[in-house]
Amino acid sequence: LGLGEADGHWYVVMELVRGQSTAQLVRAGDLAPALVLDVGCQVAAGLAHIHGLVVDDRPAGLVHCDIKPENLLVDEYGIVKIADLGIAALAGDRTATGGTLGYMAPEQLDGNPEPRSDLFALGATLYVLATRQRPFERSLRGLLELERRLGEPAFTAPVDARVPGLGEVVRRCLRADPAARFAHARDLGLALAQVRGRTPAGASPAAASALLRAPVPRPVAADSAPTLADLPRSSSGRSASAGNLIR
């Protein structure tokens, strides 16, 4: 939110997000399908903004480089905020080395991040939010085996079992070749919105709220599926790195 200096020391002013990360929500219990899709749609919109930033009338070429459940914060109103832009890089920056194994795309591991690298990471994140399992082991070997596993129906079966229709979206995000993924974050957002439109009622940024107070989510009737906006208020809070929070 701001940058300043006091007594010879520089400081960064950051927004305090009262709520929890999606990683904490997943640890609390299974997330409702509408909630998973709400998170995906909001993050895709945030990435579209990051990737579309313009500086001096030219595209900035910014890539987040570390999309994962721990870096997606849900505030008390159900708004998802993308945190930890501290390792963000410019597309094609060969010196960029940051990221988290298990979410990093192959080209990012090679030191060549680009906007579609963030879509890979969001695909891995959606897999975790839907199934509470990792799509592949956090190792180079797991990443190398991923492309073969994408062709197996069993790979996305757990995703579709929890969020019908999401499996194919995740599969496309996780392709090894960036050209085989969605071209832009907004295209991914549209695909998620289509799945969300077929998801049982109650889809609005509101229902993860119950999870912020309760350690185990309450059963919810199919005709009132929860979404992010139902989150009860929480006294916990977290700040985003580098003063950058994009919702």
Side-chain angles (χ1 to χ4, degrees):
L1 298 180
L3 177 67
E5 187 215 354
D7 298 326
H9 298 283
W10 286 94
Y11 61 86
V12 176
V13 181
M14 298 179 286
E15 179 181 359
L16 176 66
V17 179
R18 297 192 180 280
Q20 295 191 21
S21 72
T22 55
Q24 292 171 301
L25 295 179
V26 166
R27 285 195 290 271
D30 291 337
L31 303 186
L35 171 55
V36 175
L37 294 167
D38 276 332
V39 170
C41 288
Q42 291 194 52
V43 176
L47 288 176
H49 177 73
I50 293 173
H51 299 161
L53 288 173
V54 174
V55 177
D56 295 332
D57 298 322
R58 291 182 297 179
L62 194 64
V63 183
H64 184 280
C65 291
D66 203 19
I67 295 295
K68 59 184 178 181
E70 290 81 358
N71 286 339
L72 305 180
L73 311 182
V74 183
D75 74 7
E76 56 192 334
Y77 302 106
I79 304 299
V80 181
K81 313 231 176 177
I82 301 175
D84 204 4
L85 273 162
I87 66 167
L90 298 179
D93 181 1
R94 301 294 298 182
T95 66
T97 57
T100 302
L101 279 175
Y103 299 93
M104 293 173 69
E107 69 277 4
Q108 187 176 342
L109 275 173
D110 288 338
N112 190 31
E114 57 141 286
R116 289 172 294 188
S117 304
D118 286 342
L119 306 190
F120 181 99
L122 180 51
T125 295
L126 289 171
Y127 193 106
V128 172
L129 298 185
T131 68
R132 303 176 71 193
Q133 303 172 28
R134 297 187 184 279
F136 57 97
E137 65 180 69
R138 299 176 67 171
S139 67
L140 180 58
R141 176 182 175 182
L143 184 59
L144 292 173
E145 292 179 345
L146 177 61
E147 187 71 11
R148 173 186 59 79
R149 295 181 57 220
L150 287 176
E152 301 172 356
F155 178 78
T156 53
V159 178
D160 284 322
R162 290 284 304 132
V163 186
L166 181 59
E168 187 53 41
V169 176
V170 168
R171 189 195 308 274
R172 186 170 174 185
C173 288
L174 293 177
R175 293 298 303 273
D177 181 1
R181 301 173 203 153
F182 292 94
H184 304 283
R186 63 176 178 272
D187 297 329
L188 172 54
L190 288 172
L192 289 169
Q194 289 178 348
V195 177
R196 182 178 168 183
R198 300 192 296 268
T199 300
S204 71
S209 306
L211 298 178
L212 288 180
R213 286 182 181 241
V216 178
R218 298 169 296 180
V220 179
D223 61 353
S224 60
T227 64
L228 290 175
D230 301 321
L231 288 168
R233 302 192 178 184
S234 168
S235 60
S236 64
R238 175 180 161 189
S239 296
S241 299
N244 290 298
L245 281 170
I246 297 178
R247 70 188 196 189

